[in-house]
Amino acid sequence: MIIDIHGHYTTEPQALHAFRDKQLAGLLDSARKPATTDLRISDEALVKSVAPQLKFQKERGSDLTVFSPRASGMAHHVGSEAISAEWTRISNDLIHRICTLLPENFVGVGQLPQFPGAPPKNCIPELERIVKELGCVGVNLNPDPSGGNWSGPPLTDRSWYPLYEKLCELEVPAMIHVSSSCNPNFHATGAHYINGDTTAFMQLIQGNLFKDFPTLKFIIPHGGGAVPFHWGRYRGLAQDMKKPLLAEHLLKNVFFDTCVYHLPGIELMSKVIPVDNILFASEMVGAVKGIDPETGHYFDDTKRYIDQLKGLSEKDIHRIFEGNARRVYPRLDRLLAKRGKHGNK
């Protein structure tokens, strides 16, 4: 089974964008603020909107996408904490509806109602709702709700601890994923996303978070940002800080996905990062939508790169495509097992 653990709802109906525009306009003029009941999107429209993902799933040979709201659309720095909460609930409900309509193709991951300066513990009610009521198997966690200003505390700060306690209690991993950038110096998907991945990893090196939360699991997307390319630097920095070896310090809890859009990058990743810490993902339809003129294939058709890897065993490939996802997302594993799809562990 081919499980893509990183998919976003990037093909939403125009009605959702229109609602969001009105919601934000309401910040300046309360009379223009829409009611949540104003958003009417039929089941037929939802299924039609994800037709591109369904088409690519079939053509590229994946079976199931772990699906979450558009990352750049989370925009936690926009509006107010109340607006973030309302928008989050709406976005998560749409993901749930899609996963209910197309359960063989999608399983849900939710966003959190984060807001700059607001305590992370304020997100716990929505986290419990999306897991217990909507059946989400994971969550996206923004390490920088300020949208590029990095004004909040690092991921190792104790203010995050109540949220981490709940993640562990619910057996839910978190993908560390920033949202849109409000800083013109940082292109959203080309700089801000990669900065976020790299920054989060360095924060985790500097702390001792997993001593307090040994079962907490993070996925760092986009191949880990700069991390695999500079693995020696991070091992050396950890050593200088008198931290344990990275395998002991982080790699029981931190995982990386394969949203890397060329074969040499995937080859480097597979040589540097242990196979047990690599999860297949494509982020389609996401950051890069075009066709690579050097290969004639879509940049984000990442399965092709893994299929070309040399030196990995059949068991290794199974871990990347399925086994690691089922281990990191225990609720996903149990969901698939209920459907009669038992993984080879």
Side-chain angles (χ1 to χ4, degrees):
M1 187 176 192
I2 311 298
I3 302 173
D4 183 342
I5 63 111
H6 190 168
H8 294 299
Y9 189 19
T10 56
T11 55
E12 314 98 319
Q14 184 56 39
L16 183 63
H17 296 290
F19 177 90
R20 179 63 165 169
D21 289 343
K22 292 178 181 178
Q23 185 190 50
L24 298 181
L27 293 169
L28 299 176
D29 181 0
S30 60
R32 299 175 65 183
K33 185 179 184 296
T36 54
T37 53
D38 292 342
L39 179 62
R40 295 186 176 91
I41 302 176
S42 68
D43 289 349
E44 182 182 10
L46 288 178
V47 172
K48 183 179 179 181
S49 71
V50 295
Q53 282 92 341
L54 295 174
K55 177 175 180 289
F56 285 139
Q57 269 189 358
K58 182 176 181 180
E59 291 177 352
R60 300 179 186 181
S62 64
D63 299 302
L64 181 71
T65 299
V66 178
F67 204 51
S68 65
R70 181 192 292 265
S72 61
M74 296 188 297
H76 293 120
H77 61 282
V78 175
S80 64
E81 187 175 5
I83 287 291
S84 179
E86 180 183 64
W87 177 240
T88 294
R89 190 177 184 93
I90 288 169
S91 299
N92 289 336
D93 285 347
L94 286 179
I95 293 297
H96 173 61
R97 287 178 60 192
I98 290 169
C99 294
T100 301
L101 291 166
L102 298 164
E104 296 299 316
N105 301 96
F106 300 106
V107 64
V109 158
Q111 71 183 54
L112 294 174
Q114 297 175 252
F115 188 72
K121 67 180 180 181
N122 291 4
C123 298
I124 290 176
E126 179 65 6
L127 172 60
E128 291 192 305
R129 186 184 80 91
I130 62 175
V131 173
K132 294 180 179 180
E133 298 180 24
L134 306 189
C136 285
V137 301
V139 67
N140 289 340
L141 179 67
N142 189 345
D144 174 34
S146 70
N149 290 319
W150 291 92
S151 57
L155 291 168
T156 51
D157 188 81
R158 296 191 71 87
S159 62
W160 294 94
Y161 275 32
L163 183 60
Y164 295 159
E165 289 171 359
K166 185 59 63 173
L167 288 171
C168 293
E169 175 190 324
L170 296 172
E171 296 183 283
V172 171
M175 178 174 283
I176 305 299
H177 207 308
V178 295
S179 185
S180 53
S181 172
C182 66
N183 189 328
N185 289 292
F186 302 126
H187 182 276
T189 55
H192 185 47
Y193 280 21
I194 307 305
N195 291 347
D197 306 331
T198 309
T199 299
F201 188 78
M202 189 64 222
Q203 288 178 359
L204 296 175
I205 288 178
Q206 291 174 277
N208 293 291
L209 180 62
F210 302 117
K211 286 188 176 181
D212 291 334
F213 296 99
T215 63
L216 182 63
K217 293 183 174 66
F218 287 151
I219 301 98
I220 299 184
H222 320 116
V227 171
F229 188 73
H230 289 284
W231 193 247
R233 175 182 293 256
Y234 293 113
R235 286 195 300 112
L237 287 169
Q239 179 175 288
D240 291 345
M241 295 176 187
K242 310 302 181 186
K243 300 294 185 181
L245 296 175
L246 290 184
E248 181 69 24
H249 189 43
L250 299 185
L251 293 188
K252 294 179 181 179
N253 306 84
V254 178
F255 305 85
F256 305 84
D257 77 17
T258 63
C259 292
V260 177
Y261 294 156
H262 65 152
L263 178 59
I266 292 290
E267 289 175 329
L268 170 70
M269 186 179 181
S270 69
K271 292 177 181 177
V272 173
I273 304 298
V275 168
D276 283 343
N277 293 78
I278 301 175
L279 283 69
F280 171 66
S282 70
E283 204 181 3
M284 71 171 192
V285 180
V288 178
K289 301 179 179 66
I291 292 176
D292 185 345
E294 295 182 4
T295 66
H297 298 280
Y298 284 96
F299 282 99
D300 61 1
D301 185 359
T302 56
K303 182 177 181 295
R304 292 180 51 82
Y305 309 137
I306 297 166
D307 289 340
Q308 296 175 69
L309 288 177
K310 298 176 182 179
L312 295 183
S313 68
E314 185 176 332
K315 185 176 181 180
D316 291 336
I317 296 298
H318 174 267
R319 288 173 182 167
I320 293 172
F321 279 139
E322 178 182 358
N324 292 342
R326 297 181 73 138
R327 178 166 52 88
V328 174
Y329 293 81
R331 286 180 174 270
L332 172 61
D333 182 53
R334 292 196 290 268
L335 176 64
L336 293 175
K338 285 182 181 178
R339 298 176 181 176
K341 298 175 182 179
H342 298 278
N344 298 319
K345 298 184 179 180

